Amino acid sequence: MSDAVHDRYATAARRALAGEGTGLLAGEGDADRLGAVHYADGELPVEVAATSLGCGNPLAVAELKPGETVLDLGSGGGLDVLLSARRVGPGGRAIGLDVTDEMLELARRHAEQAGVANVEFVKGAIEEIPLPDASVDVVISNCVIALSADKPAVFGEIARVLRPGGRLGIADILADDSLTDAERAARAGAVECLGGALTADRYRALLHGAGLSGVDVQLTHEAGDKLHSAIIRAAKPVEVVPMSAEHADRVLAIYQAGLDTGQASFETAAPAWEAWDAAHLPEHRLVALDPAGRVVGWAAVSAVSSRCVYAGVVEHGVYVDPEAQGRGVGRALLAALIASTENAGIWTIQSGVFPENTASRELHRRAGFREIGVRERVGRHHGVWRDVVMIERRSSRVGS
């Protein structure tokens, strides 16, 4: 962050501490593009609303869960930290990081006024986050990374502090490919930081370069001429390793948890390990591990036929611990399973999914699976006839 931007935000915080407006949203149309306009009615604490300076609502894309640890980069007056603290609950923790003393003072005041205890505000730069490796589940940020002069360092730090399977959900400003250097230099006023805005392609490249996966960039609305607000998602890959018999108890427990939802399979009870072992090909069994080495998900395949013509076709299953869902575990397992099967010459992975299991359908769509049709009233499940959506992924490099 430049000295000029630092001083501007420090002045804004001092004004807010004195009971005045921040003075940052002063340009024509600013209030329609920046600040509290992006939050639902009743979501904003009244005392914090006037200090909201962001270009979006990162909490709308981060999908926070109870018990998680959340880090807000450039937390300002603390709005997103306070809202995050509510969503992760007493068992979770929300951390705000800001380089400006005045903003930290303002945020701590807001937290005290709101009576929120599971928050912490830390001084530091987003290019050198003062937290241990693999210490947070979610990183959020709201129109702050565009301020940094060293964005590769920011993304590298995000990847460092995220736990395996952790995720990034931020709002930021992106530039059109057509934005010229002269136009960047001319940015001023409430959007002075936008001269350093990245294009969508450059944003994706830097996130991938930092080792993050599942990068998704979506433009939301105009923030200025040739400038757009955007929501950006990414995840830190989990550790995926071959499954062994020592993983059996966790594999079956996660399988049972999936069956208990009523949306995973026609089966209602996980089998004994011997039966599960006999039904799945030994070469393509994978588990995802959390930092403590605990299994949080698994993927495996079964042969669809003993006929030679079907040697390159398998049926698969992917199951994720309910407490680890939304952390990129399923995505990592599917990617590893696809690589494993393709390396063995398998050209088609297929399965059936209940139509109501929209999360699984979307996960598979993103992994390159297509829905090829619906088999109606395949069987009775808990006394109800169920349809099945048939999905498959045909390899582009095997059997083509």
Side-chain angles (χ1 to χ4, degrees):
M1 180 185 293
S2 69
D3 290 342
V5 174
H6 178 280
D7 291 345
R8 192 161 185 266
Y9 279 81
T11 299
R14 285 192 291 269
R15 286 172 55 87
L17 287 165
E20 305 171 5
T22 64
L24 287 179
L25 302 184
E28 182 179 355
D30 284 350
D32 295 327
R33 301 188 300 263
L34 305 171
V37 67
H38 301 293
Y39 295 82
D41 291 341
E43 190 172 27
L44 289 170
V46 175
E47 66 275 10
V48 191
T51 62
S52 174
L53 309 173
C55 59
N57 179 356
L59 277 71
V61 300
E63 300 177 355
L64 304 182
K65 298 177 177 62
E68 291 186 318
T69 297
V70 185
L71 170 64
D72 181 16
L73 300 181
S75 51
L79 167 64
D80 290 320
V81 176
L82 298 183
L83 294 178
S84 296
R86 292 178 179 177
R87 298 190 185 189
V88 301
R93 181 182 176 208
I95 305 168
L97 177 69
D98 205 281
V99 74
T100 311
D101 289 325
E102 292 84 353
M103 280 294 183
L104 291 168
E105 181 183 352
L106 179 63
R108 290 168 181 143
R109 174 192 289 185
H110 287 155
E112 183 178 356
Q113 291 172 341
V116 179
N118 59 331
V119 299
E120 178 183 1
F121 292 96
V122 178
K123 183 175 181 179
I126 62 176
E127 298 84 0
E128 297 183 49
I129 300 173
L131 294 178
D133 295 355
S135 57
V136 302
D137 300 297
V138 187
V139 172
I140 63 173
S141 185
N142 198 345
C143 198
V144 171
I145 294 176
L147 291 165
S148 175
D150 191 354
K151 295 176 181 64
V154 177
F155 298 141
E157 282 293 89
I158 289 171
R160 181 184 65 79
V161 301
L162 278 174
R163 297 183 176 115
R167 60 197 185 278
L168 172 72
I170 64 176
D172 208 3
I173 297 295
L174 301 186
D176 284 352
D177 292 333
S178 60
L179 186 66
T180 67
D181 291 342
E183 289 170 327
R184 287 178 180 275
R187 303 299 174 186
V191 290
E192 63 185 359
C193 62
L194 305 185
L198 299 172
T199 64
D201 284 346
R202 182 60 177 155
Y203 221 108
R204 293 187 187 96
L206 289 179
L207 288 171
H208 283 302
L212 299 176
S213 63
V215 177
D216 181 40
V217 178
Q218 297 182 19
L219 303 183
T220 56
H221 61 279
E222 287 191 1
D225 183 31
K226 299 185 180 181
L227 297 161
H228 301 272
S229 292
I231 55 175
I232 298 102
R233 301 178 179 89
K236 183 173 181 177
V238 297
E239 182 181 8
V240 177
V241 301
M243 184 189 302
S244 67
E246 68 182 27
H247 300 131
D249 289 347
R250 283 292 298 159
V251 167
L252 295 179
I254 291 171
Y255 188 22
Q256 186 62 57
L259 298 179
D260 289 344
T261 68
Q263 301 299 340
S265 169
F266 281 103
E267 301 295 330
T268 57
W273 175 251
E274 291 74 14
W276 190 98
D277 181 42
H280 294 84
L281 299 180
E283 300 88 352
H284 310 292
R285 305 176 180 185
L286 302 163
V287 292
L289 305 178
D290 68 11
R294 184 170 182 263
V295 175
V296 292
W298 61 266
V301 302
S302 303
V304 299
S305 173
S306 60
R307 296 171 62 188
C308 292
V309 70
Y310 288 105
V313 182
V314 294
E315 184 173 353
H316 79 296
V318 178
Y319 286 80
V320 178
D321 187 331
E323 294 184 0
Q325 290 175 0
R327 302 182 185 181
V329 176
R331 183 167 53 246
L333 284 166
L334 264 183
L337 186 68
I338 290 167
S340 174
T341 53
E342 286 188 330
N343 289 338
I346 291 172
W347 55 81
T348 298
I349 305 174
Q350 66 181 39
S351 192
V353 182
F354 288 142
E356 298 83 359
N357 194 346
T358 55
S360 180
R361 293 172 66 181
E362 176 62 15
L363 170 68
H364 284 87
R365 183 192 67 79
R366 292 189 178 191
F369 284 74
R370 67 188 182 108
E371 297 185 353
I372 59 176
V374 178
R375 297 184 64 189
E376 298 181 349
R377 295 169 61 84
V378 172
R380 293 173 65 85
H381 183 240
H382 295 297
V384 177
W385 284 98
R386 301 290 296 270
D387 299 342
V388 173
V389 178
M390 305 306 298
I391 62 173
E392 70 171 22
R393 183 187 186 278
R394 179 64 185 257
S395 172
S396 61
R397 67 180 182 89
V398 179
S400 58

